[in-house]
Amino acid sequence: MTTNKNGQKKRLWDFEPVSKIKWEEKINQDLKGADYKSKLFWNSHEGFTAAPFYTQEDLQNLEHNAKKTIIDRTGWTCCEPIYETAPGDANEAMKTAIEKDSASFQIRSKSSWKSGMLGGDMYGTQIQKQADLDRLMDGIDTESVEFTFDSGMTTPALVAMMNNHPEKFNNPKFVFDPFTYIAERGRLPFDEKKLKEIVNQLVDQKNYKTLCADGLFYHRTGATIVQELALALATASEYLSLIDEEKKESAADEIFVRLAAGPLYFPEIAKLRVIRLLWDQLMEAYGFENPPKLTVIAETSKTNKTITDPHNNLIRTITESMSAVLGGVNQLMVHPYNTLESTPGNFSRRIARNIQYILRDESHFDKVADPSAGSYYIENLTSTIAKEAWEYFQTIENEGGVLQSLKNGSIQEVINRSKAEREKAVNQGKKVLVGTNYYANAEEELPDTIDAESFADSLELTDFEHDDSSEDLIQSLQNAFKNEATVGDVIEAMLKPEKVLYQVVEETRLGSVFDEIRLRTKSLSEETEIEPVVHLVPVGDVKWRNARATFSHNTLGCGGFKIDHPTGYDSIDEAAEKIEFGEADLFVLCSSDKEYEEFVEPFCDAFSDKGICILAGHPGDNEESYRAAGMDLFIHKGMDIPALLLNIQNDLFKIEKDHETT
């Protein structure tokens, strides 16, 4: 036992502090002189690099004051998504949730419009006229319940309906972001003069938060943490540039930021702290004397969610929720674990709701403001991410702002490059999605489809003729809805897209290709009554054969194939005697590179006429000779796994292949 000079057990403060230099000397000693910065620094692929360790000394040089908390409040609002499409059904769902202590809801109600169409479509809850909004809110205390409307370009219509509603609303939020409309569709939602007019009229709606800087959209399209932050800030800055000078500072309070609660636990905590630092810098840059505090809402990510082994989504959601709360989010919405495959039922909604309640009521995450303040690691992450995000924000500003950058296509190019890197990492197995591209569960029952389609219905039309010449859009919409007009009747006053001129970005879900392959195997097996079986043939060196058999099991299991995984064979002949052959077999030789030169030929002699022969490992210079012996495929780290699995599917299901050709 370690004791001090008085023979007493040493306490923490009795130990001499260890300097950063001494830590570095110890690390270099353990690495035998190798540069630890090149070996141990973490390239996060999120726009920043993190060191393997930090000390108190690292807090001294931070640009922000690590001794001062960034978040000066405790607690957050637990928000619940509403999926029902009929206003009456949505109303009942909210009342049921209110009985379970919910007091905040997000309602999706967005419209689309295309040239040559009459009206367009509405997605989500069908709030098409004043009666729909009134039915939605019937019997609900709108002054105590909070609402967030994911309403897009339909926002002016919903604002007008809510102004007509007899009850007041408790500071509702509207996800209105015309710049993400441009990024998603490659066109302006209306001309730039109209853009400025609508932004200025929306900020005149006091006690409503009507301008959303939607970083979540960019996260869903593949943006890094740094890009998500910079684009959210650039969007906020673009709003301020459009707002009339005399009301800029007061209008800043109408802006809020929506971000993702993503999968990287500590960086996500830092991200949510960073956005407040960046906001303060932006307010200072605009010279505001009494800048408002920033409102930040977040949602658990969908980019890392899967339909294969979907209960893993629960675990992912829990860590995402924790990082959001520790990062100081004002409002958090947790998606149920099965939103990809169906409209969530009572069970998955209850579990999603209870995740937040457990964090609040059992784990007491609402008792401390900025609990990560002072952490060497998180404070340094905060500083590093803030620096990188501010630099990218300045790049966007120097290009003329987010609108001009979207027109130029520079933002789209950056995001699409990041998206491609993410997808490549998942497809090569460098980024693991448990149960999807690694550790697949062959016994699970898969759904018939992947993404549950968002409900859409045509916009209703009446004989009402709306006068678009009014300078007060909101008031004219209020009058229209009082006269029983529909959103379809007035859509062109809010959404009249310009020509498609710009590059776009599309949402990504990283495990989707593996989900699709698994579903394809299921479908083809049912159609042809053929069940593919992968027979692993571990022989030779025990260490190598076990490692490669495990790798092969995990890789080929992602295709939905049944795996025969024996402990090992003493020889190829023994394997050939014991394996029971079927209609669609794959045989995988698992051994060491050195022994492959001995095993490949007898392996192919035994199995090449029985099915597909695969070698586990990179063949190197021996590829040509191994193929000549009868080896069909090679699996190894760094390969494109989906391409391999699709190739195997097409070889195994010859009936389907012929059918496709026909």
Side-chain angles (χ1 to χ4, degrees), residues 143-388:
E143 292 192 64
S144 62
V145 175
E146 294 184 16
F147 295 96
T148 299
F149 290 91
D150 188 356
S151 47
M153 299 303 106
T154 318
T155 294
L158 287 180
V159 168
M161 290 183 197
M162 293 174 75
N163 287 345
N164 285 343
H165 191 70
E167 305 297 332
K168 292 183 179 179
F169 288 84
N170 178 19
N171 198 21
K173 294 178 281 291
F174 301 85
V175 182
F176 170 86
D177 186 339
F179 310 109
T180 59
Y181 184 97
I182 299 166
E184 184 178 17
R185 294 174 174 82
R187 50 165 60 177
L188 285 161
F190 25 67
D191 63 59
E192 291 187 45
K193 180 183 177 183
K194 184 87 169 181
L195 172 62
K196 182 177 175 66
E197 290 174 357
I198 289 180
V199 167
N200 276 277
Q201 290 193 37
L202 286 175
V203 298
D204 288 336
Q205 308 303 307
K206 300 306 178 186
N207 300 318
Y208 291 2
K209 288 194 177 293
T210 50
L211 302 180
C212 176
D214 193 8
L216 174 67
F217 168 82
Y218 297 106
H219 165 85
R220 287 176 173 170
T221 58
T224 65
I225 282 175
V226 166
Q227 292 160 5
E228 180 186 354
L229 287 168
L231 286 163
L233 192 70
T235 301
S237 181
E238 192 78 30
Y239 286 135
L240 291 171
S241 72
L242 292 170
I243 294 169
D244 295 338
E245 192 65 36
E246 68 275 8
K247 58 185 179 184
K248 273 192 198 306
E249 184 165 349
S250 61
D253 193 38
E254 310 303 318
I255 299 172
F256 67 100
V257 169
R258 180 167 74 159
L259 298 175
L264 295 180
Y265 185 66
F266 291 113
E268 292 292 333
I269 295 173
K271 178 180 81 176
L272 289 159
R273 301 175 83 237
V274 165
I275 191 61
R276 300 184 187 281
L277 292 176
L278 297 179
W279 175 261
D280 289 346
Q281 286 183 242
L282 183 66
M283 295 297 98
E284 183 179 342
Y286 273 94
F288 295 159
E289 294 182 3
N290 299 296
K293 294 288 185 181
L294 178 64
T295 296
V296 182
I297 70 172
E299 297 179 18
T300 52
S301 176
K302 285 189 175 181
T303 62
N304 62 337
K305 302 306 186 290
T306 61
I307 65 161
T308 46
D309 221 351
H311 288 95
N312 287 326
N313 294 337
L314 273 173
I315 304 169
R316 297 178 180 121
T317 297
I318 291 168
T319 62
E320 291 165 357
S321 300
M322 289 173 64
S323 61
V325 171
L326 293 174
V329 72
N330 295 87
Q331 173 183 301
L332 174 63
M333 190 178 81
V334 175
H335 289 286
Y337 72 90
N338 60 345
T339 51
L340 297 179
E341 61 184 77
S342 63
T343 299
N346 290 333
F347 173 76
S348 59
R349 291 192 196 197
R350 180 172 65 86
I351 295 300
R353 183 188 307 129
N354 286 352
I355 286 173
Q356 298 208 59
Y357 292 171
I358 289 170
L359 292 180
R360 184 189 67 191
D361 300 333
E362 294 188 23
S363 301
H364 305 298
F365 275 42
D366 64 334
K367 301 302 182 187
V368 180
D370 203 2
S372 57
S375 161
Y376 303 159
Y377 179 42
I378 295 177
E379 290 289 10
N380 276 274
L381 279 182
T382 299
S383 182
T384 300
I385 294 172
K387 178 177 180 295
E388 298 295 335

Side-chain angles (χ1 to χ4, degrees), residues 440-588:
N441 177 11
E443 306 301 321
E444 67 180 319
E445 284 291 326
L446 297 175
D448 294 324
T449 59
I450 297 185
D451 297 299
E453 292 194 9
S454 175
F455 179 82
D457 201 356
S458 298
L459 289 176
E460 299 174 10
L461 295 171
T462 71
D463 294 332
F464 183 88
E465 293 185 10
H466 183 245
D467 181 7
D468 293 343
S469 63
S470 173
E471 293 185 1
D472 191 337
L473 172 63
I474 305 298
Q475 185 59 56
S476 72
L477 291 175
Q478 286 182 231
N479 294 335
F481 292 130
K482 286 178 181 178
N483 288 296
E484 300 185 352
T486 66
V487 172
D489 295 331
V490 301
I491 186 68
E492 291 192 37
M494 304 176 292
L495 179 60
K496 195 170 184 180
E498 304 275 281
K499 292 181 180 179
V500 175
L501 298 173
Y502 315 117
Q503 188 178 354
V504 300
V505 291
E506 296 179 351
E507 291 191 8
T508 183
R509 190 170 60 78
L510 297 177
S512 62
V513 64
F514 289 92
D515 289 341
E516 290 164 2
I517 288 170
R518 288 280 297 277
L519 288 177
R520 186 172 185 239
T521 298
K522 173 189 174 183
S523 175
L524 291 173
S525 294
E526 292 172 351
E527 181 181 333
T528 63
E529 297 184 352
I530 294 174
E531 183 180 32
V533 179
V534 177
H535 300 281
L536 303 181
V537 183
V539 292
D541 183 279
V542 175
K543 177 182 176 182
W544 276 102
R545 77 187 192 188
N546 287 345
R548 282 180 163 159
T550 299
F551 172 77
S552 301
H553 189 147
N554 283 323
T555 300
L556 298 173
C558 297
F561 310 131
K562 182 178 179 181
I563 309 290
D564 170 28
H565 189 160
T567 56
Y569 298 105
D570 292 332
S571 66
I572 300 294
D573 290 340
E574 182 192 1
E577 289 177 7
K578 291 186 175 181
I579 291 175
E580 296 182 5
F581 303 115
E583 293 181 84
D585 289 333
L586 300 93
F587 305 94
V588 187

